[in-house]
């Protein structure tokens, strides 16, 4: 009966160690790529002349488009909703929309937050969005796009323009 060292399958051990090293290097590379990207949250847009569900869909679409630009690290909606639900009482006294967005951004520990609105008047839609620096409260970028047509076409065409305008 050999000792424990004799029974170890060294080839398998080296193979698994190599896999662990590759995974470790990959994780470090992914993290290093995110170091220069700021954290950002997209707050649900306010809807005028349309349902809250429709304006939330527009917000989700803009969030997805911003993620695709890879300009920012974007907070996932479910995480954002969970944190805000836990902190709901802290937000209840805020009246001014910009102050509200800044406080939400602080609670989420992000550098920037996007807020905005979606308006519908007849067949015309307007999306207005702005990025706010959470630390200073300054609006660093603001975009507005109008679209005449169906809501489905507006989602496809205008949300991408808004996202690109915010991330340029």
């Amino acid at each position: 009966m050999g000792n424990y060292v004799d029974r170890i399958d060294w080839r398998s051990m080296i193979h698994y160690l190599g896999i662990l090293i590759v995974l470790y290097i990959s994780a470090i590379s992914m993290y290093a790529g995110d170091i220069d990207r700021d954290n950002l949250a997209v707050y649900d847009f306010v809807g005028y002349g349309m349902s809250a569900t429709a304006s939330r869909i527009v917000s989700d679409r803009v969030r997805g488009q911003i993620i695709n630009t890879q300009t920012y690290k974007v907070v996932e909606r479910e995480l954002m909703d969970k944190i805000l639900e836990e902190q709901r009482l802290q937000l209840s006294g805020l009246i001014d929309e910009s102050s509200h967005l800044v406080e939400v951004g602080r609670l989420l520990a992000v550098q920037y937050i996007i807020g905005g609105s979606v308006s519908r008047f007849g067949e015309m839609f307007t999306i207005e969005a702005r990025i706010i620096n959470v630390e200073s409260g300054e609006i660093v970028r603001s975009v507005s796009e109008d679209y005449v047509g169906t809501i489905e076409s507006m989602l496809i065409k205008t949300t991408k323009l808004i996202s690109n305008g915010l991330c340029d």
Side-chain angles (χ1 to χ4, degrees), residues 2-161:
N3 64 24
Y4 178 73
V5 174
D6 293 335
R7 290 183 293 181
I8 294 176
D9 181 1
W10 288 104
R11 286 184 183 194
S12 294
M13 184 77 90
I14 291 171
H15 175 75
Y16 290 121
L17 184 60
I19 290 172
L20 286 173
I21 290 171
V22 168
L23 290 174
Y24 179 74
I25 291 171
S26 296
I28 289 174
S29 297
M30 287 189 326
Y31 177 73
D34 284 346
I35 289 175
D36 58 345
R37 294 192 307 165
D38 291 319
N39 292 325
L40 175 131
V42 179
Y43 199 65
D44 285 341
F45 290 5
V46 177
Y48 298 107
M50 61 189 336
S51 71
T53 301
S55 62
R56 186 172 175 150
I57 291 169
V58 172
S59 304
D60 286 342
R61 181 82 177 192
V62 169
R63 180 181 296 105
Q65 297 287 348
I66 289 172
I67 290 168
N68 290 339
T69 69
Q70 298 185 350
T71 305
Y72 296 97
K73 290 184 282 185
V74 180
V75 175
E76 186 63 43
R77 169 187 279 294
E78 288 78 21
L79 176 63
M80 188 174 85
D81 288 347
K82 182 178 178 185
I83 292 169
L84 294 179
E85 181 60 32
E86 292 171 359
Q87 304 296 328
R88 187 178 69 221
L89 293 176
Q90 290 184 23
L91 298 171
S92 61
L94 298 173
I95 297 170
D96 177 79
E97 185 183 2
S98 290
S99 298
H100 182 80
L101 288 172
V102 167
E103 187 59 31
V104 167
R106 287 187 180 134
L107 290 172
L108 296 172
V110 295
Q111 286 86 21
Y112 298 97
I113 189 162
I114 293 177
S117 64
V118 185
S119 304
R120 180 179 187 171
F121 187 75
E123 293 294 313
M124 186 175 98
F125 295 90
T126 300
I127 301 176
E128 296 179 327
R130 62 196 168 285
I131 297 179
I132 298 173
N133 180 314
V134 171
E135 186 176 326
S136 68
E138 174 189 7
I139 297 172
V140 294
R141 182 155 298 175
S142 180
V143 295
S144 179
E145 290 290 337
D146 296 324
Y147 183 80
V148 176
T150 66
I151 193 167
E152 295 87 359
S153 296
M154 181 270 296
L155 277 172
I156 293 168
K157 297 177 182 176
T158 310
T159 55
K160 190 166 190 169
L161 293 172

